[in-house]
Amino acid sequence: MYTKSKELFERACLSIPGGVNSPVRAFRSVGGTPLFIKRAQGPYLYDVDGNRYIDYIASWGPMILGHAWEPVVSAIREYAAWSTSYGAPTELEVEMAELIRSMAPNIDMVRMVSSGTEACMSAIRLARGYTGRNKIIKFEGHYHGHADAFLVKAGSGVATFNIQTVPGVTPGVSQDTLTAAYNDLEGVQRVAAAYPGEIAAIIVEPVAGNMGCILPQPGFLEGLRALCDKEGIVLIFDEVMTGFRLAPGGAQELLGIRADLLTYGKVIGGGMPVGAFGGRRDIMEKIAPLGNVYQAGTLSGNPIAMIAGYTLLKELKNNPAIYRQLEEKTLYLRDGLDKVLAAWGQPYTINQLGSMISVHFSEHPVTDFASASGASNEKFKIFFHSMLRRGVYLPPSAFESWFLNNALSYADLDETIRIAGESLKEI
Ligand SMILES: *Cc1c(COP(=O)(O)O)cnc(C)c1O
């Protein structure tokens, strides 16, 4: 069933560390060998052995309308013929910035970069430059890319592989990253009180998605906003995952809370390598060439990346029914999974918001990193492989959210629920 994938993985391991270009893809925490993908269409992935899967990764978010969505594919074709990069400004970059401003709240100015990591790294430098302070607060199990400052108690692959300290990150850098538990406002207030006048920024995934999907408790984000206002701290919402996914204006719009700086990635590029950071004008004006906070990129605002992202975002803006449809599908999946999990009889928790959902094999509610870590990874492993064998592709880690795409039909969801029922019997 996986002959060609296995062969390719053996070959890959000779030339690429761990056989992959991003760690979670390697299937290490669930065991087995990763699938090599040949192509994808709509909600389906096809591997090199010709197997078909219903896809709940959606490239970790970007393929919100399904794979190979025709308008994006043809826009890329058209623009590629005019050259794939100029290293000089284009009209498209202006249109992209204006489109982002028209969709996302609280963005006076925005700069394009090439990944979510770059967006978050730049936002932190900017917050430090703006405030003249050094320390930041982040949350346990939250992931903001792989820049040095964020690799302290991080989520996603760092949590999946249980890496406590990352070699190569100097103690000098780590000591400026303070951590608190997500949803523990008093904990954050204690940390802030211990370093008065030293904290430049609080960076948070407004809806956590890198330890499964975990919702903010009522009052938590409001409390962060108030704390930042009181202490002159820059509040950064990392909307790399939630931006343009939970609503046209991301978590800010859905939850009605404003941040000072925002970071984006994933959906914003329509499947191309794109990130962005933006926010309040007085802060953004500190960026070079207006200010001295240096930040640059040879391929930033690349025309092919811009036209892919622009084409997708434009559709999301013009057709907000997409968000209602996505949510209805996700609720349908949640209810279906709830039924088969209840019939199965062992403990579980389902977390869901909009088109993000995760199943935790946990007796307790999952509200932070500690409770996410308390869930059974052994059960998840068996579930993951049973689903995969039957044609459903979940993220290969219990510490990841699943993402729905709007190409999924109700027949696909019914099939997923039926397969989940069968797979649970193997646990
Ligand atoms: C994926 C992710 C990042 C990193 O983005 P890359 O494009 O992988 O560098 C940062 N923050 C959050 C919340 C993410 O989910």
Side-chain angles (χ1 to χ4, degrees):
M1 184 175 185
Y2 305 132
T3 319
K4 284 190 182 158
S5 276
K6 284 190 172 138
E7 278 170 21
L8 276 174
F9 188 57
E10 276 172 32
R11 255 177 72 200
C13 286
L14 298 176
S15 310
I16 306 172
V20 291
N21 282 313
S22 195
V24 176
R25 293 180 202 168
F27 276 28
R28 287 258 174 138
S29 76
V30 290
T33 44
L35 302 179
F36 282 67
I37 303 303
K38 176 94 177 178
R39 65 187 182 88
Q41 184 65 55
Y44 307 121
L45 290 174
Y46 299 87
D47 70 12
V48 286
D49 290 290
N51 304 304
R52 191 198 85 168
Y53 305 90
I54 304 176
D55 180 21
Y56 287 96
I57 301 184
S59 184
W60 305 94
M63 316 318 274
I64 191 166
L65 298 183
H67 291 276
W69 188 58
E70 205 283 324
V72 166
V73 174
S74 30
I76 290 174
R77 270 209 192 95
E78 185 189 337
Y79 275 70
W82 301 340
S83 181
T84 50
S85 182
Y86 313 113
T90 60
E91 183 177 0
L92 191 51
E93 288 165 83
V94 185
E95 289 187 354
M96 183 70 164
E98 288 171 354
L99 180 61
I100 293 168
R101 288 186 63 198
S102 74
M103 293 176 76
N106 304 314
I107 298 212
D108 299 326
M109 299 182 117
V110 60
R111 179 156 285 176
M112 305 308 300
V113 293
S114 301
S115 68
T117 294
E118 234 189 298
C120 295
M121 177 185 94
S122 308
I124 286 292
R125 183 184 307 133
L126 176 56
R128 285 172 165 157
Y130 174 79
T131 57
R133 303 172 179 180
N134 291 335
K135 294 194 187 296
I136 61 165
I137 299 178
K138 75 173 282 291
F139 294 94
E140 291 167 18
H142 286 210
Y143 182 70
H144 306 293
H146 66 89
D148 287 357
F150 303 125
L151 295 178
V152 180
K153 297 192 181 167
S156 189
V158 187
T160 301
F161 302 126
N162 194 20
I163 299 172
Q164 298 294 332
T165 47
V166 178
V169 177
T170 64
V173 168
S174 298
Q175 79 185 13
D176 283 332
T177 301
L178 310 168
T179 59
Y182 184 55
N183 280 325
D184 175 10
L185 185 58
E186 281 177 21
V188 188
Q189 287 163 340
R190 266 198 308 279
V191 175
Y195 298 92
E198 288 188 66
I199 296 165
I202 295 178
I203 185 166
V204 62
E205 290 182 55
V207 177
N210 283 290
M211 46 182 178
C213 167
I214 304 187
L215 278 58
Q217 304 283 300
F220 177 67
L221 295 173
E222 290 84 348
L224 293 184
R225 179 66 271 172
L227 175 66
C228 288
D229 286 341
K230 184 162 148 264
E231 303 294 335
I233 298 169
V234 175
L235 181 60
I236 306 174
F237 274 9
D238 177 351
E239 295 231 39
V240 170
M241 197 174 261
T242 52
F244 311 102
R245 171 161 285 278
L246 292 181
Q252 275 196 116
E253 177 186 335
L254 191 70
L255 305 173
I257 300 160
R258 87 199 137 80
D260 301 310
L261 288 180
L262 286 307
T263 60
Y264 297 100
K266 299 195 168 108
V267 175
I268 202 172
M272 295 294 282
V274 180
F277 65 102
R280 264 169 49 191
R281 183 174 304 274
D282 62 321
I283 305 180
M284 290 302 288
E285 282 180 345
K286 300 290 178 203
I287 289 274
L290 291 179
N292 288 337
V293 179
Y294 199 73
Q295 187 281 329
T298 302
L299 293 174
S300 295
N302 171 274
I304 308 305
M306 290 302 100
I307 196 59
Y310 181 85
T311 306
L312 181 62
L313 294 194
K314 191 93 186 167
E315 173 72 9
L316 295 174
K317 180 181 175 182
N318 290 343
N319 192 359
I322 289 168
Y323 292 97
R324 203 177 55 242
Q325 290 158 6
L326 272 169
E327 180 171 35
E328 281 166 2
K329 287 176 189 180
T330 313
L331 289 172
Y332 184 85
L333 178 68
R334 189 190 71 184
D335 291 347
L337 290 174
D338 200 32
K339 280 206 188 76
V340 293
L341 281 156
W344 172 61
Q346 298 189 40
Y348 69 92
T349 293
I350 306 178
N351 286 352
Q352 176 264 335
L353 188 67
S355 54
M356 293 167 64
I357 182 169
S358 57
V359 173
H360 302 261
F361 295 105
S362 166
E363 291 174 39
H364 309 287
V366 173
T367 57
D368 57 13
F369 185 64
S371 45
S373 307
S376 168
N377 199 44
E378 284 312 303
K379 288 180 187 172
F380 180 81
K381 261 176 161 166
I382 302 170
F383 184 63
F384 169 81
H385 280 292
S386 306
M387 295 289 278
L388 192 67
R389 240 185 351 264
R390 293 177 172 88
V392 177
Y393 195 175
L394 301 177
S397 162
F399 289 108
E400 302 287 354
S401 176
W402 312 358
F403 299 104
L404 269 72
N405 69 76
N406 209 30
L408 285 161
S409 67
Y410 281 88
D412 294 323
L413 300 175
D414 283 335
E415 193 178 339
T416 305
I417 295 161
R418 180 184 60 76
I419 288 174
E422 283 177 24
S423 299
L424 288 166
K425 290 184 194 142
E426 295 187 5
I427 301 179

